[in-house]
Amino acid sequence: MTAFDIKSKKPLIISGPCSAETEEQTLETCKQLAASGMVDVLRAGIWKPRTKPGNFEGVGIKGLPWMAKAKEITGLPIAIEVATGKHVHEALEFGVDILWVGARSTVNPFSVQEICDAVRGQDVTILIKNPMNPDVDLWIGAVERFRAVGVEKIGLIHRGFSAIGGKYRNNPMWHLAIEMRRRMPGLPLICDPSHICGRRDTLLEVCQKSADLNYDGLIIESHICPDKAWSDASQQVTPTDLETILKSIKWRNEIVDKPEFLQALDQFRVQIDQLDNELFELLSKRMNIAERIGEVKRDNNVTILQSGRWADIVERIVSQADSLKLSREFMSTILEAIHIESINRQNKIMNKK
Ligand code: PEP
Ligand code: MN
């Protein structure tokens, strides 16, 4: 049997409970999801990596026959998380079609390598979640390890990055997933809104955002009785609610072959490219002046940072937010990046031997 092809459908929808808890809960959830006709792959956690011991750590190997049964009854492929070589062997024995590497494993090259060693030379399908911390190289490293042992069917899952506070349980940092796709072209990118959101009421907006960014699919947690779930209760939805969410998402085309559309797009892109050039030419000029200031400060033995001056600049610029129709947050982010580069340049000048 050849391994499941993640590219066989777009969008690919993976769903199932955070954890397999009992045979009945697993089968009932999977049956309802399959009956919706909107789910392509069934998921469940069998071994759960928990932040603290004492939380539910998964039912373990006894959950594998439940998933195998769900596959048999529904005809749908099944996916589980693996974190050790032993998990891999057991999963493959029970006919698991997709193995995913969790965020807590992707951060650890020892774990990733152990999983790689267990699948070496086998035709398997692997989905790699982004690491907990916002480090694209670590994510790429995991892909490279799997490629090095001959795995070809690899996909990425974007589940957000550890965050303290903020709107989401995990900060999506969309730009990092986009950067990952730029650096690893050709790998399907699947969004995990459940672990990004950590709650139900923001799932749809995150799903829609991923659709707008041309993601290749979704992995969403669903449970027949979410409030009673043994793990991640607040982010799971019933199969019926999942269906409503899935029906509300507008999946868009990456490209449409209409001449008017292509012409309009081209015109705007020429303008954007031109403006980007001008922006960076201006920034280059600004940095040159910052260096000249650095020289003046050096010759007069004055510190780089004069308290008050930078605050005045920020205040003056950000106060124009409304009239420029730019958000204050965006303006502050840009200013901060400019300031860091400016300080670095001045620092170099002032400390040149
Ligand atoms: C999960 O998918 O249930 C899970 C544990 O996810 P993550 O590795 O993204 O935290
Ligand atoms: Mn979960």
Side-chain angles (χ1 to χ4, degrees):
M1 207 188 75
T2 52
F4 180 79
D5 180 9
I6 330 159
K7 292 185 184 170
S8 58
K9 181 172 171 278
K10 181 175 173 180
L12 184 76
I13 308 296
I14 305 173
S15 185
C18 176
S19 304
E21 298 162 3
T22 64
E23 179 166 8
E24 200 203 349
Q25 165 259 0
T26 305
L27 290 183
E28 194 48 40
T29 307
C30 290
K31 276 194 240 169
Q32 289 186 21
L33 290 170
S36 74
M38 300 189 79
V39 171
D40 306 301
V41 179
L42 299 169
R43 66 149 279 158
I46 298 291
W47 299 278
K48 301 301 296 177
R50 307 314 299 180
T51 304
K52 286 192 181 142
N55 288 345
F56 175 57
E57 291 185 317
V59 290
I61 188 165
K62 78 169 184 216
L64 283 172
W66 307 341
M67 285 304 281
K69 202 161 169 187
K71 172 175 169 172
E72 193 188 311
I73 296 172
T74 62
L76 293 177
I78 52 174
I80 68 156
E81 173 175 353
V82 290
T84 66
K86 190 165 171 280
H87 294 167
V88 170
H89 298 308
E90 289 171 350
L92 294 179
E93 222 166 87
F94 280 89
V96 173
D97 301 275
I98 298 179
L99 308 175
W100 87 75
V101 180
R104 292 163 192 77
S105 301
T106 311
V107 285
N108 183 349
F110 288 132
S111 300
V112 174
Q113 192 56 49
E114 184 181 331
I115 299 166
C116 288
D117 291 338
V119 298
R120 186 182 296 274
Q122 301 195 61
D123 182 24
V124 290
T125 304
I126 304 278
L127 293 176
I128 307 173
K129 288 205 174 197
N130 67 254
M132 303 287 284
N133 50 326
D135 183 343
V136 172
D137 284 314
L138 203 50
W139 202 1
I140 291 176
V143 173
E144 287 173 348
R145 282 178 198 277
F146 280 102
R147 285 191 168 152
V149 295
V151 176
E152 283 167 10
K153 293 178 177 125
I154 300 174
L156 306 169
I157 298 177
H158 173 214
R159 50 82 74 202
F161 302 88
S162 258
I164 298 166
K167 179 171 180 188
Y168 297 112
R169 173 180 174 188
N170 288 295
N171 187 345
M173 305 178 94
W174 297 98
H175 61 288
L176 293 186
I178 291 165
E179 170 66 4
M180 183 67 182
R181 189 162 55 183
R182 189 185 68 79
R183 289 177 62 185
M184 296 267 107
L187 294 189
L189 177 61
I190 291 173
C191 182
D192 176 346
S194 304
H195 292 90
I196 288 176
C197 296
R199 51 195 271 185
R200 290 167 207 139
D201 59 345
T202 48
L203 287 172
L204 177 58
E205 67 181 48
V206 169
C207 289
Q208 187 58 54
K209 175 108 180 183
S210 71
D212 292 345
L213 290 172
N214 195 27
Y215 276 48
D216 299 284
L218 296 167
I219 177 165
I220 310 195
E221 292 182 342
S222 177
H223 189 291
I224 38 163
C225 194
D227 288 330
K228 297 224 168 81
W230 299 358
S231 60
D232 289 350
S234 48
Q235 70 196 30
Q236 302 204 60
V237 291
T238 61
T240 313
D241 286 346
L242 179 79
E243 206 177 322
T244 309
I245 291 174
L246 292 176
K247 281 184 178 149
S248 310
I249 304 170
K250 288 187 200 73
W251 291 93
R252 308 184 203 272
N253 303 308
E254 184 174 10
I255 196 83
V256 176
D257 217 3
K258 275 198 290 194
E260 316 85 86
F261 162 75
L262 294 172
Q263 227 171 42
L265 194 65
D266 256 3
Q267 273 177 17
F268 288 129
R269 285 189 168 160
V270 167
Q271 291 182 45
I272 290 271
D273 290 350
Q274 176 60 27
L275 287 168
D276 282 347
N277 288 343
E278 287 175 23
L279 271 173
F280 282 93
E281 273 162 26
L282 277 174
L283 284 170
S284 165
K285 279 190 194 152
R286 193 193 186 287
M287 291 307 157
N288 289 337
I289 295 190
E291 286 192 357
R292 308 243 310 263
I293 293 182
E295 287 163 7
V296 177
K297 287 178 183 166
R298 178 195 58 202
D299 296 344
N300 293 281
N301 204 25
V302 172
T303 57
I304 292 180
L305 211 58
Q306 264 95 51
S307 57
R309 165 70 180 150
W310 183 248
D312 291 346
I313 293 182
V314 174
E315 178 46 35
R316 183 172 56 79
I317 300 289
V318 174
S319 68
Q320 299 171 52
D322 288 346
S323 62
L324 292 173
K325 297 202 181 92
L326 295 170
S327 75
R328 300 175 76 88
E329 193 193 8
F330 170 68
M331 294 180 88
S332 310
T333 308
I334 301 276
L335 278 171
E336 202 180 305
I338 293 174
H339 194 208
I340 291 171
E341 177 73 5
S342 226
I343 287 178
N344 289 345
R345 300 277 284 253
Q346 291 190 31
N347 204 354
K348 253 197 203 143
I349 295 284
M350 294 181 77
N351 293 299
K352 209 155 52 186
K353 294 264 157 43

